[in-house]
Amino acid sequence: MTTHDGDTGTELVRLNENISKIEELSKRLVTALSHYKAVNPALQGPGQDLYMKAAVGYWAEWVQNPTKILEHQVEYWGKSLQHYMEAQQALTQGLTGGTEEVERPKDKRFANPMWQSHPYFNYVKQQYLLNSEAISKAVDDVVDLDDVDRKRLRYFSQQIVDLMAPTNFLATNPDALERAVETEGQSLVDGLENLVRDLEANDGRLLVTLADEKAFEVGGNIATSPGKVVFRNHMFELVQYSPTTDTVHEIPLLIFPPWINRFYILDLKEKNSMIKWAVDQGYTVFVVSWINPDASYRDVKLDDYITDGYLTAINEVRDICNVKQVNAVGYCIAGTTLSLTMALLKKRGETPIKSATLFTTLTDFSDQGEFTVFLGDDFVDGIEEEAMAEGYLNSFFMSRTFSFLRSNDLIYGPAINRYMKGEAPPAFDLLFWNGDSTNLPGAMAIQYLRDLCQKNKFVDGGMEVCGEVLNIKDVTVPICAVACETDHIAAWKASFNGVRKMGSRSKTFILSQSGHIAGIVNPPSKGKYGHYTHSKIAMEPDDWRAEAEFTPGSWWPRWDEWLANRSGKQIPAREEGDSNHPVLADAPGTYVTMQSTG
């Protein structure tokens, strides 16, 4: 009896503590939300014209083909009624199983056995799936939409479907409810605290924390390859990495990472660092670490990235290494801009780049992949208004856009774990990097979206940059392009088509398995993700893929062979910098840790 009283007393103390904590968190929640800055509606969803087109198209199908529409409606009503009756019978009779399952692909959101065994949860799940199917058919029934509008309508409709999943609500999520019971409600208190922290960290805007930020330190336990900053200007820091071999190739390797994220995706850990691996193969490796721009960079364009970024970095590396040429690498948008740079150099009759490697790079934007849904004038007009008002495009919008391309994995799933289950985010270096994004200069962001993504000027008619009209055919440097099979940011077929249109006589195309990051950061030691190669690329992408040879494992050794043949003789390993390039800081430098403003 005494023990029971003691337990009751402990429970009361905990209950009072949690009530007090909830009151405190509620106040913090109100304060955090009061800091919320209204976002331009154009950045929150598609324009009204898309909905109007959809409504008109659906009504037109009603008029032209009412039988098909009625069949779909009757089918949905019939299934829903049957499902309700079966669920009611299961509930009244106390059956342990749910209603009959409709044959569908596995959905990890419904992995909990209660979604099948418990009549209530089974009913909720099955009805959600029926509703999802009905919405999908309704979208397919809309007529007189072009391919882009249909793709956008399907995408945004699916976003609503994903948002309304029963797993996203506490009352219909058995995992969260079980967790609340197990912890006597502590998980809900912890979840509320996690929610408040995320709102406070983003000025009242909700952006789910994906990784434990305290678990990582840039330059501490990630981005640790030894090196020195040997040059710095208003656009970038130039990092030269310390050699690990007695001799190195004469021609240095200069890597341009995308400025949408930090460069250390190529140097997360020693075991998967592409930078360390390249150094170990005997290359003198330089990496550009871009500035994280603020409002003072509002007028910076791609022209400035090329002049004060690419061309400056190339010249500084040539001076340090006392060579006439460098081998260059461009990743994603940095590969696109490297291609523009090579076209500019061709126009000027200059040849400082011996070869170029392009990672997941788009140069032909006629197929924009999954980003098509965000490249209509409704969104781009909103981005332009935001960027011009603030001087830059805040990293928040880029992070949110990338997350919504995989909303169940990068938004709803983490939100459930963090806010409903009260779990701490995982100590996952890749997710930490993913959340460590940067701002984009206002003028550059609009120039990229308008001239490249929307108008595809580099391929169609030429793009004016740095006083020259540049065309993809002006890229004549030997090219090695690496694309990734399941890349949702830079579709491999679009990347392939861009390389085909380049003027280079020497073109090598490698198709890696996996996606935008895992397909590139795939060290040989992992033994994962094979790759496809073919000696010819003068064919359609599907034909190339059908004829290509598959090789298990990483593409890095194949690239090393290609690169070594273009990197000159062996010379004694170089020290970092020289008398004209004194050491300014240890790697990874200072720009890489500059946080976003706003």
Side-chain angles (χ1 to χ4, degrees), residues 13 255 588:
V13 170
I255 300 175

Coordinates of all heavy atoms in Angstrom, one line a residue, residues 13 255 588:
V13 N 3.6 14.3 -9.1 CA 4.7 15.3 -9.3 C 5.0 15.4 -10.7 O 5.1 16.6 -11.3 CB 5.9 14.8 -8.5 CG1 7.1 15.7 -8.9 CG2 5.7 14.9 -7.0
I255 N 37.7 21.9 -57.9 CA 36.3 21.5 -57.7 C 35.5 22.7 -57.4 O 35.7 23.4 -56.4 CB 36.2 20.4 -56.6 CG1 37.0 19.2 -56.9 CG2 34.7 20.0 -56.4 CD1 37.1 18.1 -55.8
P588 N 38.3 23.6 -43.0 CA 37.6 24.0 -44.2 C 37.4 25.5 -44.4 O 36.6 25.8 -45.3 CB 36.2 23.3 -44.0 CG 36.0 23.3 -42.5 CD 37.3 23.2 -41.9

